[in-house]
């Protein structure tokens, strides 16, 4: 299956910004999603984007602060994290789903088939 690799995580102060990248090795027609998980907590949907970039979805907790985008020529998805809060601290994972539909950006983790290993985002002063 496709290999996904996240990068861009790090330690940032509250109110700061980070940009995460997800480099994929497979098709450029897969919807992509971002999820996060903190120790002791369940995996949480963050955002997703259709393969054609027609549709994006966001969790209510990040809407207005995070932006998901993609560059199909580079087979890379991005997550811009702005106005970061301590509660955003988590390991962030990208994922892809191999079922191809136009204008489709699923929000359910079980739909996604391939996952990266994660990149840590820590928001602390």
């Amino acid at each position: 299956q496709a290999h996904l690799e996240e990068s861009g995580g790090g330690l940032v102060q509250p109110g700061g910004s980070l940009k995460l990248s997800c480099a994929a090795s497979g098709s450029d027609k897969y919807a992509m999603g971002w999820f996060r998980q903190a120790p002791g907590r369940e995996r949480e949907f963050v955002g997703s984007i259709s393969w054609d970039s027609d549709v994006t979805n966001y969790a209510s907790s990040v809407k207005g602060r995070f932006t998901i985008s993609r560059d199909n020529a580079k087979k890379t998805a991005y997550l811009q994290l702005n106005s970061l809060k301590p509660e955003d601290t988590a390991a962030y994972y990208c994922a892809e789903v191999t079922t191809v539909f136009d204008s489709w950006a699923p929000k359910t983790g079980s739909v996604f088939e391939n996952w990266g290993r994660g990149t840590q985002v820590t928001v602390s002063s």
Side-chain angles (χ1 to χ4, degrees), residues 28 30-31 48-56 68-72 76 101-105:
D28 59 357
Y30 293 159
S48 59
I49 184 168
S50 61
W51 79 265
D52 49 16
S53 295
D54 282 349
V55 175
T56 56
I68 190 170
S69 61
R70 66 189 299 159
D71 185 337
N72 286 0
T76 302
F101 292 108
D102 295 346
S103 305
W104 184 56

Side-chain angles (χ1 to χ4, degrees), residues 40-64:
R41 296 188 177 275
E42 65 183 6
R43 185 179 62 195
E44 178 186 18
F45 169 76
V46 176
S48 59
I49 184 168
S50 61
W51 79 265
D52 49 16
S53 295
D54 282 349
V55 175
T56 56
N57 287 307
Y58 297 95
S60 60
S61 59
V62 307
K63 192 175 300 182

Side-chain angles (χ1 to χ4, degrees), residues 23-40:
S25 62
S27 174
D28 59 357
K29 292 187 176 180
Y30 293 159
M32 304 292 295
W34 286 94
F35 297 79
R36 66 187 183 185
Q37 187 169 25

